[in-house]
Amino acid sequence: MNPDTHLLLLDVDGVLIELPDFFCSRFPSAPVRAFFADGFQSASTGKSSVLEHLPKLMAEVGREGSPEEFYREWLDYENRPDKDMVAAAAELKAAGWRIYLATNQEELRVQHLMSESGLSAVTDGHFASYSVGYRKPSQEYYGAVTQALGVSPEQIIFWDDSVENVDAARAAGWSSHLFTNVADFRRVMGLQRS
């Protein structure tokens, strides 16, 4: 694959970040589901700050303290970069690829991912849903990102661990791939085995 004509967009959770379990899996499922269906939807499309929605969740799951402390604990718990995948991305970046995050995410987690998880070292930036204003798998998301990049859709190489997101990206004209493991990613992207 020619790095002069292609851009690489990578999902975060399940691709660059390993999540064998989620921070919220220790809490009752009903308030967690409600948070992700409402507050997180708002924060991840840039309409609000996630901190505005955490007090309600904290009350429902019996957590005390400030929203900031709670969220810091959450972010630190899920700070698990996949070292092999990050190394593969670093190889591609060194070879001249432009790499961006393509993730359904709110602003504070993206800041944490870029600085604390070290993803800024292997990317050129991000197209997180909070900054795009739309979430995957909406066609508005893929259209807005394509327009922002100023390229034809087929120049965008996209990897995600969600079949729904991959199919939607393919429908938008992106060259999209389902992420299953680092070895398959390296093979498709033309990287030598590490």
Side-chain angles (χ1 to χ4, degrees), residues 6-10 98-102 124-127 132 141-158 174:
H6 289 96
L7 297 150
L8 178 61
L9 271 64
L10 299 172
R98 289 163 56 200
I99 304 175
Y100 298 88
L101 303 181
D124 295 282
H126 67 81
F127 290 100
V132 176
Y141 175 87
Y142 303 101
V145 172
T146 302
Q147 184 175 9
L149 286 168
V151 298
S152 58
E154 61 272 12
Q155 289 178 267
I156 300 171
I157 310 295
F158 172 63
W174 291 13

Side-chain angles (χ1 to χ4, degrees), residues 12-74:
V12 172
D13 294 318
V15 179
L16 286 164
I17 298 291
E18 297 178 304
L19 287 178
D21 67 309
F22 290 89
F23 177 76
C24 283
S25 63
R26 67 186 75 188
F27 303 130
S29 60
V32 170
R33 278 199 310 271
F35 167 77
F36 279 105
D38 182 24
F40 187 77
Q41 292 285 323
S42 172
S44 66
T45 50
K47 296 179 179 69
S48 62
S49 167
V50 70
L51 296 177
E52 298 172 36
H53 306 283
L54 289 178
K56 182 173 186 283
L57 174 63
M58 292 170 68
E60 291 174 344
V61 300
R63 287 296 301 264
E64 297 181 350
S66 72
E68 290 82 3
E69 291 168 337
F70 177 75
Y71 201 48
R72 180 69 199 205
E73 181 186 350
W74 185 341

Side-chain angles (χ1 to χ4, degrees), residues 43-178:
S44 66
T45 50
K47 296 179 179 69
S48 62
S49 167
V50 70
L51 296 177
E52 298 172 36
H53 306 283
L54 289 178
K56 182 173 186 283
L57 174 63
M58 292 170 68
E60 291 174 344
V61 300
R63 287 296 301 264
E64 297 181 350
S66 72
E68 290 82 3
E69 291 168 337
F70 177 75
Y71 201 48
R72 180 69 199 205
E73 181 186 350
W74 185 341
L75 294 176
D76 287 344
Y77 185 86
E78 294 184 357
N79 182 12
R80 302 175 188 170
D82 183 321
K83 292 180 177 61
D84 293 337
M85 187 59 191
V86 170
E91 287 179 46
L92 290 167
K93 190 167 182 350
W97 283 77
R98 289 163 56 200
I99 304 175
Y100 298 88
L101 303 181
T103 178
N104 287 338
Q105 203 48 253
E106 57 79 35
E107 184 174 10
L108 296 179
R109 175 126 192 266
V110 172
Q111 291 172 0
H112 190 271
L113 288 164
M114 296 301 266
S115 59
E116 304 294 322
S117 301
L119 298 188
S120 63
V122 296
T123 62
D124 295 282
H126 67 81
F127 290 100
S129 57
Y130 85 86
S131 65
V132 176
Y134 301 102
R135 292 170 50 90
K136 300 176 295 182
S138 73
Q139 285 301 301
E140 290 89 350
Y141 175 87
Y142 303 101
V145 172
T146 302
Q147 184 175 9
L149 286 168
V151 298
S152 58
E154 61 272 12
Q155 289 178 267
I156 300 171
I157 310 295
F158 172 63
W159 287 81
D160 199 301
D161 64 331
S162 159
V163 172
E164 186 179 19
N165 292 343
V166 168
D167 288 347
R170 192 169 290 135
W174 291 13
S175 176
S176 57
H177 304 271
L178 182 66

